[in-house]
Amino acid sequence: MLDDFSDFRLPTSELRSAEERGCRLSDSDSPDRRWATVATEAEVLAVARTVPSARRLLDVAEAFAGDPRVEIRWAVDPGSELGGGVRELLAARRIRPLRLKHARRRAWHLVLAASENSPLDRLCAPVLLLPHGAGHGKGMAAERLVRCDPQAIGLAHADDAARLASLSPAVGAAARVVGDPCWDRLAASRHRRAAYREALGVGGSRLLVLSSTWGPFSLFHRHTDLAGRLTAALPWDSWRVAMVLHPGVRARHGDDTVSRWLRPALERGLLLLDTDDEWRAGLVAADAVIGDHGSVTLYAAALGVPTAFACFGWEEVDPEATIARLGRRGRYFAADGPLAKQVEELAGEPGDPALADQVFAHQGTALDRIADVAYELMRLPRPRVEVAPIAVPIPRSAHAAPTAWWFAAHETGDGIMVDRFPASETVPAGARLLAHVHDADPRRPAAATVVVGTADLTNHPGAYVAVDGTAITLRGFNGVLVAESGLDSALVAAALHTWVFQLGREVPRGLRVNGCSVQLAASPQR
């Protein structure tokens, strides 16, 4: 690697080619350069077509971090019906992209792309093409690769390069095995697992993540109601459920429509993870993953998370791809079977962290290798700047928790065990209703056995217990109980209902609830 920063100009042959194609170089005489505050030497164009391709290029752009000689401009290819959300993703980073037709009128020192479907052959620059997912699970379109004529194709593993060469020796000659920058960021995020879980509101529960690609063979298409049924079937205090939807689903149907389809699950606490960085935090935080043949499922399995397939799109998967090999030997989840039992069994299975070595070469150094290729194509000496992967951010967005549950409780040897299930049309055997006074459905607090958000039972004649913060009121008990424990007070209130009103016991000074000791102190009625 060269250390010095020498002057750089495009070779005469490339200048002539650019001029012949009607392109204008942004040199020191152009208005752009005249008013620039930093004298850059190379301009790179990143072409985003869909959210996954834009997300990949945002990762790749970090290969130039710390080098003020290189400036990255962005353009959006509007040619995909699944391209919705790209401009919003870029706008969140204060990126104002060019129109692709304007970008064609000038020459660039390098074009970065993560989709061979863009008209890269019409751009005046050497092209570095990268995948936008984990490898090429749906195969490599040799014809499109030939048409866009990339000078280099960055691949995750030597097996990918061999597959490409078998399809087209000419295109295969451009293959460079560089690893996967998305995988490197996932691996670099493992130490933040506890922080991700706290930010997502998982607490002491376990986290199940559903992963769906797009299209007719995807999990979301074949089992659209699976998230809703899982959030109803899994005990709230033991499990949380999250979902990672391919951005193409939202782009095709719209956020409003998708949210409406998922509303029952969202009301029961489904964490619909965003398509930027939150989904990666969710994978690192996960205790189990149920997916399909999409890249997210493969990333989860490579992280060593116990993973199962709810379906598999064999019709559109390359049989030689890693995801296909995983599909042939992997575990399958019967979406119409007993959900809770299967989830518990899946979470108890060992993961397969050795899988990562079969999918991703040069782990931890993908950005470094991409930088080598990029600077070589730009004919620019590369500086000695470290480009190591960094952890994905800790999520900031708040996810709403349910405000109504069915609860079922029973006596154990030394206390009460309570299971809460987010309220749904399916009532667990022997369960009663626990609801917040401000639940969106006013029928629920009116019919609840335990009401949350108030210590006054006057306006809730059907309720036996009310809880507000740590203050718990029991019907017929003179005074208020103050609960001291690390548990949700609503859980304690449900246990007290079982202890006092179902088992007929005296109001206790202390009680074990779900294995935790709870101290109860009486205070005068407020």
Side-chain angles (χ1 to χ4, degrees):
M1 184 188 305
L2 297 176
D3 303 331
D4 61 317
F5 293 165
S6 58
D7 291 338
F8 174 73
R9 292 287 186 274
L10 279 175
T12 303
S13 60
E14 293 187 24
L15 286 168
R16 189 179 301 113
S17 174
E19 292 168 356
E20 289 171 354
R21 295 169 66 180
C23 298
R24 175 181 61 81
L25 279 175
S26 177
D27 55 24
S28 57
D29 297 325
S30 72
D32 289 348
R33 293 294 189 183
R34 243 189 349 259
W35 298 106
T37 57
V38 176
T40 56
E41 298 180 32
E43 287 193 311
V44 175
L45 180 68
V47 180
R49 181 177 172 88
T50 61
V51 168
S53 69
R55 176 64 268 171
R56 179 56 56 100
L57 294 179
L58 286 167
D59 282 347
V60 170
E62 293 304 307
F64 305 99
D67 188 355
R69 299 172 304 157
V70 178
E71 182 175 2
I72 300 179
R73 303 292 296 276
W74 291 77
V76 174
D77 172 13
S80 174
E81 66 173 336
L82 303 181
V86 175
R87 292 185 180 276
E88 292 80 1
L89 176 63
L90 297 180
R93 286 161 176 74
R94 299 184 179 180
I95 295 172
R96 293 189 296 175
L98 304 169
R99 292 184 178 180
L100 191 58
K101 65 179 182 180
H102 293 161
R104 294 175 187 161
R105 298 173 185 169
R106 50 177 293 188
W108 304 86
H109 297 83
L110 178 67
V111 167
L112 296 173
S115 172
E116 66 271 22
N117 293 315
S118 293
L120 304 176
D121 56 310
R122 303 180 191 176
L123 294 167
C124 300
V127 174
L128 170 54
L129 181 64
L130 298 145
H132 58 260
H136 291 82
K138 296 183 179 179
M140 303 178 190
E143 299 83 2
R144 292 198 295 270
L145 288 171
V146 169
R147 185 172 66 246
C148 68
D149 189 27
Q151 278 62 50
I153 303 173
L155 299 171
H157 196 274
D159 289 350
D160 298 323
R163 286 162 57 209
L164 182 59
S166 68
L167 292 172
S168 170
V171 176
R176 301 289 192 91
V177 179
V178 295
D180 185 311
C182 178
W183 164 255
D184 284 356
R185 291 200 70 189
L186 282 166
S189 301
R190 285 174 163 140
H191 69 290
R192 283 186 167 179
R193 174 178 163 85
Y196 296 148
R197 291 172 65 83
E198 180 179 358
L200 293 171
V202 175
S205 302
R206 288 175 290 178
L207 178 63
L208 171 67
V209 175
L210 298 180
S211 163
S212 178
T213 187
W214 63 280
F217 306 113
S218 68
L219 179 149
F220 192 62
H221 182 91
R222 291 181 171 179
H223 305 293
T224 311
D225 66 342
L226 183 57
R229 291 189 291 116
L230 281 165
T231 52
L234 294 175
W236 172 257
D237 297 296
S238 299
W239 285 98
R240 297 287 192 274
V241 181
M243 183 171 232
V244 179
L245 276 179
H246 190 285
V249 177
R250 300 189 192 189
R252 176 66 180 82
H253 299 288
D255 283 343
D256 179 68
T257 296
V258 171
S259 295
R260 191 174 296 109
W261 288 340
L262 289 172
R263 183 164 298 161
L266 292 170
E267 290 179 349
R268 293 194 282 270
L270 175 71
L271 306 172
L272 186 57
L273 305 180
D274 71 36
T275 54
D276 190 359
D277 276 320
E278 198 174 52
W279 71 268
R280 294 194 275 200
L283 281 195
V284 174
D287 295 285
V289 169
I290 299 171
D292 54 20
H293 54 288
S295 291
V296 174
T297 312
L298 181 55
Y299 281 129
L303 281 169
V305 181
T307 303
F309 296 102
C311 58
F312 202 95
W314 295 107
E315 300 88 338
E316 59 184 16
V317 169
D318 181 345
E320 299 302 318
T322 304
I323 189 66
R325 297 198 298 270
L326 185 62
R328 286 191 287 268
R329 71 171 190 257
R331 182 186 182 100
Y332 278 77
F333 184 90
D336 297 324
L339 300 182
K341 180 182 178 182
Q342 289 187 88
V343 169
E344 289 286 347
E345 291 175 349
L346 173 61
E349 291 287 322
D352 183 13
L355 176 66
D357 294 335
Q358 304 171 30
V359 189
F360 309 115
H362 309 306
Q363 295 179 45
T365 63
L367 275 183
D368 193 62
R369 291 175 177 273
I370 289 171
D372 282 342
V373 176
Y375 280 92
E376 177 188 328
L377 292 176
M378 292 188 295
R379 303 191 181 189
L380 187 66
R382 185 185 163 190
R384 284 182 173 174
V385 177
E386 185 178 13
V387 287
I390 59 173
V392 298
I394 296 170
R396 294 182 179 180
S397 59
H399 292 273
T403 52
W405 297 263
W406 297 114
F407 73 91
H410 62 274
E411 185 178 10
T412 61
D414 59 351
I416 298 293
M417 180 65 65
V418 180
D419 283 327
R420 289 188 293 178
F421 302 86
S424 67
E425 297 78 9
T426 303
V427 183
R432 289 168 170 78
L433 187 60
L434 184 158
H436 196 281
V437 292
H438 298 309
D439 186 81
D441 186 343
R443 297 172 298 179
R444 289 174 174 169
T449 299
V450 178
V451 290
V452 182
T454 180
D456 185 5
L457 289 167
T458 304
N459 296 320
H460 300 277
Y464 287 79
V465 184
V467 54
D468 186 19
T470 60
I472 301 174
T473 303
L474 304 179
R475 189 169 296 282
F477 178 73
N478 185 22
V480 174
L481 295 176
V482 178
E484 296 182 5
S485 75
L487 295 176
D488 182 349
S489 294
L491 197 66
V492 177
L496 280 171
H497 173 270
T498 301
W499 185 266
V500 175
F501 297 105
Q502 292 181 259
L503 298 177
R505 309 283 176 77
E506 292 184 358
V507 176
R509 294 184 178 179
L511 184 66
R512 288 189 67 80
V513 179
N514 289 10
C516 297
S517 179
V518 179
Q519 298 301 312
L520 297 161
S523 67
Q525 187 76 39
R526 294 179 180 178

